[in-house]
Amino acid sequence: MKITENAVVGLTYELKVSKVEDDIESVPFSVEVRDEEDPFYFLFGQSGLPEKFEELLAGKKEGDDFNFSLTTEEAYGEPDDELLITLPKEQFSKERGFTEEMIKEGEFLPLMDENGYSMQAKVLKDLGENLLLDFNHPLVGFDLHFEGSVIEVREATEDELSHGHVHGEHGEHEEG
């Protein structure tokens, strides 16, 4: 089966990122490896990943290798200054499940939006009573370089299609 809309896709890959500054591209460095022990599964067409990522995988089948790059514009774009937000440090108390270690500069805070969806923010600066947080995607401003293999392609179940994500062994409703 080939990768098409609403297929469940399993991948192994290495993701490297690079950045262009002053017209010079940095050497790509590895930021994520998903191997056979921890493959990446998603519902094609509903992944929330950059469109170009899915476009470049379309039509591939189990056993196919891939190697492609996404420019910053094709990936997560440039940083948005409106996503730099100052919040009172008291919102990140021990009672709410936060530790001193978690609110240090450079750390990523696991948060939820008003609809209960997971999100994260990077602590940019401790301003005393406040924290300056960056809600931009962690890969914003980078070119992405993917190299990997398609390890599984299957039809999504009705449940997966109606919920918009993968279930079962590699999905969100995994029994643990």
Side-chain angles (χ1 to χ4, degrees):
M1 178 178 171
K2 289 187 175 182
I3 297 176
T4 57
E5 193 80 14
N6 296 328
V8 170
V9 180
L11 306 175
T12 57
Y13 63 81
E14 180 176 16
L15 168 60
K16 293 181 179 179
V17 299
S18 61
K19 196 174 229 169
V20 177
E21 292 183 89
D22 302 324
D23 294 328
I24 299 168
E25 182 157 8
S26 66
V27 175
F29 61 93
S30 184
V31 294
E32 183 180 28
V33 174
R34 299 297 292 263
D35 58 18
E36 288 81 7
E37 301 285 313
D38 183 29
F40 175 64
Y41 277 80
F42 66 98
L43 188 56
F44 193 82
Q46 297 187 45
S47 69
L49 295 166
E51 275 182 44
K52 189 72 175 180
F53 177 83
E54 289 197 357
E55 193 180 298
L56 292 167
L57 288 172
K60 294 199 177 300
K61 60 190 183 314
E62 193 171 312
D64 284 354
D65 292 332
F66 57 88
N67 188 342
F68 57 79
S69 295
L70 304 181
T71 64
T72 298
E73 292 71 31
E74 293 168 332
Y76 293 101
E78 295 295 340
D80 181 348
D81 288 343
E82 290 185 19
L83 294 176
L84 302 180
I85 298 171
T86 302
L87 292 173
K89 200 190 284 186
E90 67 196 29
Q91 287 188 10
F92 306 99
S93 65
K94 284 187 176 58
E95 295 76 41
R96 294 187 178 184
F98 294 94
T99 64
E100 284 291 319
E101 289 299 307
M102 292 170 81
I103 58 173
K104 285 190 171 162
E105 291 178 16
E107 294 296 317
F108 284 91
L109 293 173
L111 303 171
M112 283 197 179
D113 68 13
E114 59 276 1
N115 298 316
Y117 291 105
S118 294
M119 59 189 296
Q120 63 181 9
K122 184 176 184 179
V123 180
L124 290 184
K125 193 122 184 91
D126 185 336
L127 303 168
E129 292 187 14
N130 295 306
L131 292 175
L132 177 61
L133 301 177
D134 183 353
F135 284 87
N136 282 291
H137 189 283
L139 296 174
V140 75
F142 287 100
D143 292 345
L144 310 182
H145 311 275
F146 291 91
E147 184 173 354
S149 299
V150 179
I151 61 166
E152 185 178 350
V153 181
R154 67 168 173 80
E155 287 184 33
T157 65
E158 287 300 318
D159 269 357
E160 289 170 326
L161 292 174
S162 67
H163 292 166
H165 57 251
V166 179
H167 290 188
E169 185 181 349
H170 301 287
E172 298 204 9
H173 293 278
E174 197 169 354
E175 295 299 317

